[in-house]
Amino acid sequence: MTRFGPAGNSQSFYDAGHKSSVEVPRWLYSIGLSAYEYQCNKGVNISKEKARQIGDEAKKYDILVSIHAPYYINFGSQEEEKLQKSKEYIYECVEVAKEMRAERIVFHPGSCAKVDRKIAFETAKKAILEVVNVVREMKVEGIFLCPETMGKKNNLGSVDEIIEICKIDEFLLPTIDFGHINAFTGGGLKTKEDFVNLLKKFIEQLGYERMRRFHSHFSRIEYTSQGEKKHWNYEDKQYEPDFEPLAEALVELKLEPVIICESKDYMSEDALVLKKIYYEILEKRM
Ligand SMILES: [Zn+2]
């Protein structure tokens, strides 16, 4: 089953009178969504108790939970202290994921703004291998670490880099951010063929079984020559990419990812729009 859900809590959740993330799984279920990306992007500041409550609710309402790790993670850093801190952020997320029954931890590989891209990438691969080994020792089952394809030219996380990182270990599953890839490539994702070719590349390199339920982010993203500039809502049709050709590619390749919508304001509403487009295309094919 392809799952759809929001990144974080949209305004409509609060407008409906809700206050705590503990109420999110039930609310998502009630509006027809089945995934939720909990945001630890500004730091891992949730109590074990609250994480457990979210996890219990998510299980009750069959919501697949992922956690977005802090933005401060930088495995490309040449400073030992920053590398160590980056690793610790992931371990903290794993502890939260255990309580929250989260299956996926999404993280940005790091920056190459201050250092040669190749050097930063080699540092990142070494650090991520170490993280994988430590996480394995933490005896967590069913949790994947999901490095994300990035939208800015001075960030690590091109398609090729994410594939190479995922080859380090089975523990790693790609987060394919389609808006980011489109921004990074200056508008490379337009037609169904563009999406099919992109996804086939992942399948060829990482295998169909592993890719079948890959993790993903989707939103329209404005970009410049340097890549990603700003996230927009689905109704802002002047920005790319469109979801229809992606949905067609997913149906054609029989892929059933988790699709997290990262629209600017309407993450939940837009996740429902994407779900509707997807099922219309799926039903036409059946
Ligand atoms: Zn991200």
Side-chain angles (χ1 to χ4, degrees), residues 37 68-69 71 106-108 148-150 175 177 180 217 262:
E37 193 146 294
H68 199 304
Y71 290 150
V106 176
F107 67 97
H108 299 173
E148 177 176 342
T149 59
M150 299 304 291
T175 298
D177 187 313
H180 279 169
H217 288 164
E262 288 193 326

Side-chain angles (χ1 to χ4, degrees), residues 159-214:
V159 167
D160 289 330
E161 285 165 348
I162 293 302
I163 287 173
E164 203 173 325
I165 289 171
C166 288
K167 281 183 176 172
I168 293 173
D169 196 282
E170 293 278 318
F171 243 118
L172 298 153
L173 191 68
T175 298
I176 304 183
D177 187 313
F178 295 99
H180 279 169
I181 292 173
N182 188 64
F184 194 92
T185 57
L189 294 178
K190 287 188 172 61
T191 65
K192 183 185 89 175
E193 282 64 39
D194 293 335
F195 286 100
V196 166
N197 290 339
L198 171 72
L199 292 165
K200 271 190 173 165
K201 186 170 183 179
F202 276 96
I203 293 170
E204 275 159 20
Q205 297 291 319
L206 301 174
Y208 173 75
E209 251 334 289
R210 196 156 154 206
M211 284 305 297
R212 194 170 62 84
R213 296 183 65 233
F214 72 91

Side-chain angles (χ1 to χ4, degrees), residues 86-230:
S86 298
K87 291 171 193 166
E88 278 160 20
Y89 281 133
I90 299 278
Y91 308 147
E92 287 172 20
C93 284
V94 171
E95 291 298 341
V96 172
K98 275 202 267 186
E99 303 297 332
M100 212 184 265
R101 302 167 196 261
E103 295 182 24
R104 296 160 180 214
I105 296 169
V106 176
F107 67 97
H108 299 173
S111 166
C112 53
K114 288 186 192 160
V115 56
D116 179 74
R117 187 168 198 114
K118 272 195 181 135
I119 295 172
F121 187 57
E122 288 310 312
T123 307
K125 278 199 294 182
K126 216 175 118 210
I128 292 168
L129 173 63
E130 199 187 312
V131 167
V132 164
N133 288 332
V134 171
V135 171
R136 182 167 277 123
E137 295 279 299
M138 292 168 91
K139 300 260 180 276
V140 286
E141 262 177 56
I143 296 180
F144 289 97
L145 304 179
C146 305
E148 177 176 342
T149 59
M150 299 304 291
K152 291 195 180 110
K153 295 263 164 92
N154 60 9
N155 279 333
L156 295 174
S158 67
V159 167
D160 289 330
E161 285 165 348
I162 293 302
I163 287 173
E164 203 173 325
I165 289 171
C166 288
K167 281 183 176 172
I168 293 173
D169 196 282
E170 293 278 318
F171 243 118
L172 298 153
L173 191 68
T175 298
I176 304 183
D177 187 313
F178 295 99
H180 279 169
I181 292 173
N182 188 64
F184 194 92
T185 57
L189 294 178
K190 287 188 172 61
T191 65
K192 183 185 89 175
E193 282 64 39
D194 293 335
F195 286 100
V196 166
N197 290 339
L198 171 72
L199 292 165
K200 271 190 173 165
K201 186 170 183 179
F202 276 96
I203 293 170
E204 275 159 20
Q205 297 291 319
L206 301 174
Y208 173 75
E209 251 334 289
R210 196 156 154 206
M211 284 305 297
R212 194 170 62 84
R213 296 183 65 233
F214 72 91
H215 200 71
S216 71
H217 288 164
F218 188 92
S219 61
R220 294 190 185 276
I221 296 179
E222 183 182 357
Y223 59 86
T224 67
S225 61
Q226 289 311 299
E228 171 186 11
K229 186 178 172 197
K230 189 179 172 189

Side-chain angles (χ1 to χ4, degrees), residues 56-76:
D56 289 346
E57 287 291 290
K59 188 174 181 229
K60 202 157 135 193
Y61 294 102
D62 185 30
I63 304 294
L64 188 142
V65 180
S66 49
I67 293 175
H68 199 304
Y71 290 150
Y72 323 121
I73 286 174
N74 183 2
F75 290 125

